[in-house]
């Protein structure tokens, strides 16, 4: 049984007064169905579950009138032994992207308020809902804006992977404390964490692959499981994309390892296909992002906040959102090379994608900084209220670009950088050095800011 952070979110949602139906979206096979059913069975007296892919007949319950009483009557007829008790029943609508009427009905459930509803969808961004070509037709009208709460679920992040491997919270707390205090991690813990990180790179966070790893420790079986899931993603591209986009989406997806192999990892359409142009492939990249498979990392005009405001929209790199997806796209044997340290030049690309994995799974957008002069920073993040430079070193090495930027504060106004590599915690002036496995800790914590009242007495007087 894999412990997932989203379980705590579900608990908080259930304890919120006036809660709206919850829509959980995420890449296919990230564990949505399992965790939702587990949560519902442990927290409700009655659970009514339907999967619109496996049970298309359940769509009939949402034909015609969409008032809650009619829907409940229809579901009672379609699902044997289903019970609907006010305040004690959870209705799960799995793969809701297959039934737009069910998505529309969430408004009725929100207004009615008698039953908790959790919907899941793997392709909510690409089939009808949010697809740029379908907006204004069936997709846009079916989304009950303001009557649902949407949350994104990811494959296991590195901390969840540690839990799955039996690492106690007390050990993780030591790592977090060392990061905050900028103190070296005890050598025994450091060595174990590096070994676990290599395994995470090989496995990734898709639950089926993680379970295969835990049960077998067999690299060949892990690789075959990854390839099977990738085949499902490609099948989705064929099934759900517009006919004109289908070949382009697959070509973009399959080019990602080649794009990352280049010295300049900027995404180039000519690498996708000779003579390729942005007009052919830009929508394909959006499809991959909407499906949760890949994420663009935008170059910025300057390394400064707000990062989104300084992003250059037509200049970007592309990473897979889960490091295991990239590993499944590479040659069999790459996994052993990582464990043996024989990866040579491509190791840098893998560890950059690892950092992208960390950032994506903490719901951060991806940014980097590159100038034609050769100055380049792997990632830029908002951290502790400021723009921080991030450099990934597969082993050790100088961060020349980072040092150059930090020495020119009058130009770049950046005060701190973090360098990740195969070493322990330390500091060199404005640069904090940390081990690669601490990358998952680089995230901005939201603060509860209270806007003070304004003294209006002078205006009134």
């Amino acid at each position: 049984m894999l412990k997932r952070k989203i379980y705590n979110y579900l608990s908080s949602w259930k304890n919120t007064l006036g809660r709206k139906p919850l829509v959980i979206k995420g890449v296919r096979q990230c564990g949505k169905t399992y965790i939702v059913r587990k949560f519902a069975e442990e927290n409700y007296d009655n659970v009514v579950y339907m999967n619109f892919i496996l049970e298309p007949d359940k769509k009939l319950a949402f034909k015609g009138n969409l008032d809650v009483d009619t829907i409940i009557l229809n579901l009672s007829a379609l699902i044997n032994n289903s019970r609907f008790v006010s305040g004690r029943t959870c209705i799960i609508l799995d793969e809701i992207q297959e039934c737009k009427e069910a998505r529309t009905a969430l408004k009725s459930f929100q207004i009615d308020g008698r039953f908790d509803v959790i919907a899941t969808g793997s392709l909510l961004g690409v089939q009808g809902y949010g697809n740029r070509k379908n907006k204004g037709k069936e997709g846009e009208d079916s989304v009950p804006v303001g009557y649902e709460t949407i949350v994104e679920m990811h494959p296991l992040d590195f901390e969840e992977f540690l839990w799955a491997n039996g690492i106690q919270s007390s050990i993780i707390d030591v790592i977090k404390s060392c990061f905050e205090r900028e103190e070296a991690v005890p050598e025994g813990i450091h060595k174990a964490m590096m070994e676990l990180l290599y395994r995470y790179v090989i496995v990734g966070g898709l639950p089926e692959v993680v379970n295969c790893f835990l049960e077998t420790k067999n690299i060949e079986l892990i690789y075959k499981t990854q390839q099977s899931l990738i085949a499902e993603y490609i099948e989705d591209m064929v099934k759900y994309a517009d006919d004109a986009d289908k070949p382009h989406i697959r070509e973009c997806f399959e080019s990602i390892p080649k794009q990352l192999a280049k010295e300049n990892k900027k995404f180039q359409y000519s690498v996708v296909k000779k003579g390729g142009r942005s007009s052919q492939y830009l929508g394909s990249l959006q499809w991959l992002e909407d499906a949760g498979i890949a994420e663009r990392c935008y170059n910025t005009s300057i390394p400064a906040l707000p990062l989104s405001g300084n992003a250059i929209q037509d200049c970007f790199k592309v990473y897979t959102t889960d490091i295991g997806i990239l590993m499944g796209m590479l040659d069999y044997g790459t996994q052993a090379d990582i464990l043996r340290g024989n990866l040579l030049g491509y190791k840098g690309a893998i560890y950059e994608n690892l950092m992208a994995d960390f950032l994506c799974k903490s719901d951060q957008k991806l940014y980097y900084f590159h100038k034609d002069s050769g100055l380049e920073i792997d990632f830029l993040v908002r951290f502790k209220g400021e723009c921080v430079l991030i450099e990934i070193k597969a082993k050790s090495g100088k961060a020349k670009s980072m040092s150059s930027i930090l020495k020119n504060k009058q130009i770049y106004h950046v005060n701190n950088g973090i360098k990740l590599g195969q070493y322990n915690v330390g500091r060199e002036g404005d640069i904090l050095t940390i081990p690669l496995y601490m990358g998952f800790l680089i995230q901005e914590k939201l603060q509860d800011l209270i806007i003070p009242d304004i003294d209006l007495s002078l205006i009134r007087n």
Side-chain angles (χ1 to χ4, degrees):
M1 182 183 72
L2 300 174
K3 180 182 176 183
R4 304 302 306 273
K5 293 178 181 178
I6 199 169
Y7 192 99
N8 291 335
Y9 179 91
L10 291 168
S11 297
S12 297
W13 168 79
K14 186 179 185 300
N15 292 324
T16 301
L17 292 176
R19 56 190 168 276
K20 301 174 183 179
L22 185 63
V23 178
I24 301 178
K25 65 176 186 175
V27 66
R28 187 177 294 283
Q29 300 296 337
C30 69
K32 298 183 296 295
T33 299
Y34 169 80
I35 201 67
V36 167
R37 296 193 73 169
K38 174 180 168 60
F39 172 79
E41 289 164 3
E42 293 176 353
N43 290 275
Y44 293 88
D45 294 335
N46 307 294
V47 178
V48 180
Y49 172 84
M50 66 209 75
N51 182 311
F52 292 117
I53 289 180
L54 301 179
E55 306 167 290
D57 62 303
K58 302 301 186 292
K59 298 178 186 179
L60 296 173
F62 299 88
K63 298 296 182 182
N65 293 336
L66 290 181
D67 64 283
V68 173
D69 286 333
T70 299
I71 293 171
I72 295 306
L73 182 64
N74 292 340
L75 289 176
S76 299
L78 290 167
I79 303 175
N80 293 332
N81 301 317
S82 55
R83 297 189 64 209
F84 297 88
V85 181
S86 178
R88 297 165 60 185
T89 300
C90 182
I91 301 171
I92 301 174
L93 307 175
D94 205 357
E95 303 290 2
I96 196 172
Q97 77 275 357
E98 297 291 327
C99 183
K100 65 183 182 68
E101 293 86 0
R103 184 79 180 271
T104 304
L106 296 182
K107 179 177 180 178
S108 299
F109 280 106
Q110 159 65 9
I111 294 171
D112 182 87
R114 285 177 290 166
F115 310 105
D116 284 353
V117 181
I118 304 176
T120 74
S122 300
L123 297 163
L124 291 176
V126 300
Q127 192 201 16
Y129 310 111
N131 184 289
R132 68 194 187 286
K133 293 186 178 180
N134 289 332
K135 281 186 177 180
K137 298 179 183 179
E138 61 178 7
E140 189 175 70
D141 294 338
S142 63
V143 178
V145 177
Y147 293 92
E148 61 182 17
T149 298
I150 302 176
V151 63
E152 185 157 8
M153 183 176 176
H154 306 282
L156 278 78
D157 63 21
F158 183 58
E159 186 171 15
E160 291 171 321
F161 183 79
L162 294 179
W163 295 341
N165 281 272
I167 303 301
Q168 299 298 314
S169 296
S170 58
I171 299 298
I172 299 174
D173 288 341
V174 170
I175 297 167
K176 292 179 178 178
S177 177
C178 289
F179 177 66
E180 289 296 326
R181 296 171 179 270
E182 299 186 8
E183 297 175 350
V185 179
E187 193 57 34
I189 296 176
H190 173 67
K191 183 178 179 181
M193 287 299 107
M194 287 302 300
E195 291 298 323
L196 283 163
L197 180 77
Y198 299 145
R199 284 155 176 73
Y200 179 71
V201 170
I202 291 169
V203 175
L206 291 165
E208 187 176 347
V209 185
V210 174
N211 282 323
C212 179
F213 162 72
L214 295 173
E215 293 166 6
T216 70
K217 301 295 193 296
N218 186 304
I219 288 178
E220 182 179 4
L221 293 178
I222 291 167
Y223 183 68
K224 287 182 177 178
T225 304
Q226 288 169 332
Q227 290 208 306
S228 176
L229 292 174
I230 289 170
E232 288 188 32
Y233 296 155
I234 292 173
E235 188 176 310
D236 284 340
M237 297 171 199
V238 174
K239 181 178 180 181
Y240 294 111
D242 294 327
D243 289 341
D245 289 337
K246 289 175 182 178
H248 297 321
I249 295 171
R250 181 168 182 173
E251 288 168 349
C252 276
F253 174 63
E254 292 179 344
S255 81
I256 292 175
K258 291 184 290 184
Q259 302 279 356
L260 296 178
K262 299 188 282 84
E263 182 66 25
N264 179 1
K265 296 177 177 60
K266 175 187 172 183
F267 192 90
Q268 295 175 317
Y269 299 102
S270 60
V271 174
V272 178
K273 190 174 184 179
K274 188 176 181 179
R277 302 183 306 276
S278 62
S279 58
Q280 293 174 286
Y281 293 106
L282 198 57
S284 302
L285 287 171
Q286 187 64 54
W287 195 100
L288 291 170
E289 283 193 312
D290 290 341
I293 297 171
E295 187 79 16
R296 277 174 283 195
C297 179
Y298 289 96
N299 191 13
T300 59
S301 55
I302 55 172
L305 301 177
L307 295 171
S308 59
N310 294 315
I312 304 170
Q313 292 303 310
D314 60 353
C315 185
F316 51 84
K317 299 183 281 189
V318 176
Y319 297 102
T320 61
T321 53
D322 182 84
I323 186 64
I325 297 175
L326 178 64
M327 296 305 301
M329 299 172 74
L330 299 177
D331 297 338
Y332 177 65
T334 306
Q335 298 82 358
D337 290 336
I338 288 176
L339 295 177
R340 295 170 186 154
N342 296 335
L343 208 54
L344 301 178
Y346 203 83
K347 182 179 284 189
I350 289 176
Y351 287 118
E352 276 190 40
N353 206 128
L354 172 67
M355 190 67 216
D357 172 301
F358 290 155
L359 294 173
C360 286
K361 289 175 181 177
S362 58
D363 292 319
Q364 300 182 68
K365 297 297 182 181
L366 306 182
Y367 302 96
Y368 74 107
F369 180 63
H370 174 79
K371 294 186 70 175
D372 292 338
S373 62
L375 201 66
E376 181 162 7
I377 301 297
D378 294 332
F379 295 96
L380 303 176
V381 298
R382 174 189 283 271
F383 185 61
K384 296 185 177 180
E386 63 179 79
C387 178
V388 175
L389 315 176
I390 304 292
E391 280 278 81
I392 315 299
K393 298 297 179 184
K395 289 188 177 180
S396 58
K398 300 291 184 180
K400 294 181 181 179
S401 291
M402 180 180 288
S403 297
S404 177
I405 290 174
L406 292 172
K407 286 178 182 177
N408 291 281
K409 290 184 172 61
Q410 71 278 12
I411 299 174
Y412 295 107
H413 307 289
V414 178
N415 297 314
N416 291 285
I418 301 176
K419 184 172 68 172
L420 296 92
Q422 294 176 319
Y423 31 64
N424 213 317
V425 181
R427 177 170 280 280
E428 303 170 5
D430 296 329
I431 300 176
L432 173 65
T433 61
I434 61 174
L436 285 163
Y437 58 79
M438 278 189 175
F440 80 99
L441 298 175
I442 303 174
Q443 51 182 288
E444 184 80 322
K445 302 295 184 183
L446 295 177
Q447 298 178 340
D448 293 326
L449 298 178
I450 305 300
I451 301 175
D453 291 332
I454 300 175
D455 184 358
L456 299 177
S457 59
L458 293 177
I459 297 176
R460 294 191 184 103
N461 294 334

